[in-house]
Amino acid sequence: MHELSIAQELMEIIESEQRARGFERVISVQLQFGALSCVNPDALTFSFEVISKDNLADGAILQIDIEPMQYLCRKCDYSFSGSEEFITCPKCGSGDIVINANHQMEIISMEVE
Amino acid sequence: MAKINVKKDITSRNRQLADELRKRFVAAGTYVINIISSPGSGKTSLIEKMGPQLIDNLSLFVIDGDLETQNDANRLKQAGIPAVQIETHGCCHLDAVMIDKVLVNIDLDRVDLLIIENIGNLICPVGFDLGENMRVVAASPAEGQDKPLKYPQAYHRADVCIFNKIDLLPYIKFDTTQFEADARRANPNLQFFYTSCLTGQGVDNWSQWLLFEVKRHIKANDC
């Protein structure tokens, strides 16, 4: 799985932020992933624990927010979020819906000291 | 304790390298396709069949990705299609770093169409831009009806869907209309092709369309 390479990228961003801002330790990291990003949060957390052992992020908590799947109704232009059970538009009832989510993976913020 | 805003893309390293690859491909006049699918949908067979249909008009090269063996690249070379194998020895996807490394072996200026056959995997390869012009998701009847619903990422981020092994349709309960509708829910703009590498049905349709796209791209970038 590639969560390890994502954890490595995350660690590089954290180290780059440390060089720029000069903090000692990372307490927590706030991450936001789109519904179409192909990441398993548990695997990422485990990989990050391995990568951050004995460094400035050792023990840091990853707070992972995965956006719910977003849909767009092509009949009435209504955007809504939901699970795969949503096969019709909750506004107009049309079945002509498409996925409208993203695959972004961002580090939003960190708590440091 | 302080909270600091970061707002950075975690995938930026692969994305930046992919963008650099994209510029290199444009400078060399090379059109690149990235074929993604589960193992066994017939990616290699498709390349094997389409190669001879394109080779009179385009110079081809294939980068083939697998965990182990040189089997696919060897098979393509035996069919007269130049190919190089990337063996990842466990990595579940190709990324821009791997493509960059293997390009040392390829004279891009002499390649009109670079075909990247990704690792057989409907999940991980989807997240890694390789600098391609066109992304193809391939599928086949024996994989199951509802794959576009179960793996929407793969269909959402593709330009083309090739539904292969249509010679199996008489023997497998499969509704291609529903399959296409499910795939279009993930991506309404998908271009569909139905092919059989066993009978050859539909392969020339796909090859001719691809040839047109490649020529159009070459012409646009020459201007």
Side-chain angles (χ1 to χ4, degrees):
Chain A
M1 294 300 295
H2 58 274
E3 276 77 3
L4 191 60
S5 63
I6 294 170
Q8 279 174 324
E9 297 272 358
L10 184 51
M11 199 61 236
E12 282 179 22
I13 293 174
I14 290 171
E15 285 168 344
S16 158
E17 289 295 312
Q18 190 204 29
R19 286 191 293 274
R21 309 198 202 209
F23 48 83
E24 300 270 315
R25 201 164 77 90
V26 181
I27 311 298
S28 69
V29 184
Q30 288 72 48
L31 301 171
Q32 188 163 60
F33 296 156
L36 291 178
S37 63
C38 309
V39 176
N40 178 286
D42 290 340
L44 179 58
T45 300
F46 175 72
S47 299
F48 189 73
E49 282 169 6
V50 171
I51 291 285
S52 62
K53 192 164 161 46
D54 297 332
N55 73 23
L56 76 154
D58 193 346
I61 295 166
L62 293 189
Q63 291 163 343
I64 303 171
D65 174 32
I66 301 183
E67 292 166 0
M69 187 65 83
Q70 302 287 329
Y71 298 99
L72 172 70
C73 173
R74 296 208 292 174
K75 190 173 178 195
C76 72
D77 244 14
Y78 182 62
S79 288
F80 57 97
S81 61
S83 67
E84 303 87 70
E85 284 78 52
F86 257 113
I87 53 167
T88 54
C89 173
K91 194 173 177 192
C92 75
S94 170
D96 188 8
I97 60 165
V98 291
I99 285 172
N100 195 30
N102 72 64
H103 48 83
Q104 300 290 93
M105 291 196 276
E106 283 190 326
I107 166 172
I108 301 293
S109 57
M110 295 192 286
E111 287 178 324
V112 301
E113 62 185 17
Chain B
M1 189 162 72
K3 189 160 189 174
I4 58 173
N5 290 323
V6 180
K7 204 81 170 70
K8 278 189 181 159
D9 174 10
I10 298 171
T11 63
S12 58
R13 188 159 64 150
N14 189 84
R15 222 170 264 197
Q16 272 162 25
L17 185 50
D19 285 340
E20 281 168 35
L21 286 176
R22 195 162 268 116
K23 285 181 191 143
R24 274 176 74 181
F25 295 141
V26 167
T30 307
Y31 192 95
V32 185
I33 68 173
N34 176 9
I35 307 179
I36 292 175
S37 81
S38 305
S41 5
K43 295 186 287 301
T44 313
S45 297
L46 184 67
I47 299 170
E48 212 176 12
K49 278 286 178 187
M50 71 196 244
Q53 293 176 354
L54 293 168
I55 218 145
D56 288 340
N57 291 289
L58 300 173
S59 65
L60 307 184
F61 206 100
V62 180
I63 297 174
D64 203 289
D66 272 307
L67 266 63
E68 305 289 344
T69 83
Q70 300 268 328
N71 290 356
D72 286 356
N74 287 341
R75 198 171 131 194
L76 292 172
K77 282 188 268 193
Q78 281 195 333
I81 303 164
V84 69
Q85 186 81 49
I86 298 177
E87 284 182 78
T88 66
H89 304 299
C91 186
C92 51
H93 60 274
L94 294 179
D95 64 19
V97 170
M98 295 175 197
I99 301 300
D100 185 46
K101 279 191 184 148
V102 86
L103 284 180
V104 162
N105 302 305
I106 303 171
D107 183 358
L108 276 180
D109 288 326
R110 295 158 77 98
V111 178
D112 295 319
L113 174 62
L114 178 65
I115 301 169
I116 303 174
E117 183 188 337
N118 217 310
I119 305 289
N121 180 342
L122 256 188
I123 306 172
C124 311
V126 176
F128 291 88
D129 185 359
L130 304 180
E132 70 267 26
N133 298 91
M134 182 192 295
R135 188 176 277 195
V136 177
V137 62
S140 65
E143 294 166 43
Q145 177 74 56
D146 55 359
K147 289 304 172 287
L149 298 177
K150 289 184 176 178
Y151 300 89
Q153 297 90 334
Y155 288 82
H156 183 79
R157 293 176 70 173
D159 303 295
V160 169
C161 176
I162 296 181
F163 189 76
N164 196 25
K165 304 193 184 185
I166 56 174
D167 50 283
L168 291 178
L169 283 172
Y171 311 106
I172 295 176
K173 188 180 171 196
F174 197 99
D175 181 347
T176 52
T177 307
Q178 186 61 54
F179 173 84
E180 198 170 314
D182 291 342
R184 288 197 189 284
R185 198 171 76 149
N187 182 351
N189 301 314
L190 268 177
Q191 189 84 24
F192 266 83
F193 294 92
Y194 290 87
T195 58
S196 164
C197 295
L198 184 71
T199 65
Q201 189 182 354
V203 180
D204 55 349
N205 203 28
W206 151 246
S207 298
Q208 288 309 306
W209 185 84
L210 178 60
L211 176 62
F212 178 78
E213 287 299 307
V214 175
K215 284 190 163 172
R216 192 165 67 129
H217 171 83
I218 289 174
K219 193 176 174 190
N221 282 288
D222 272 345
C223 298

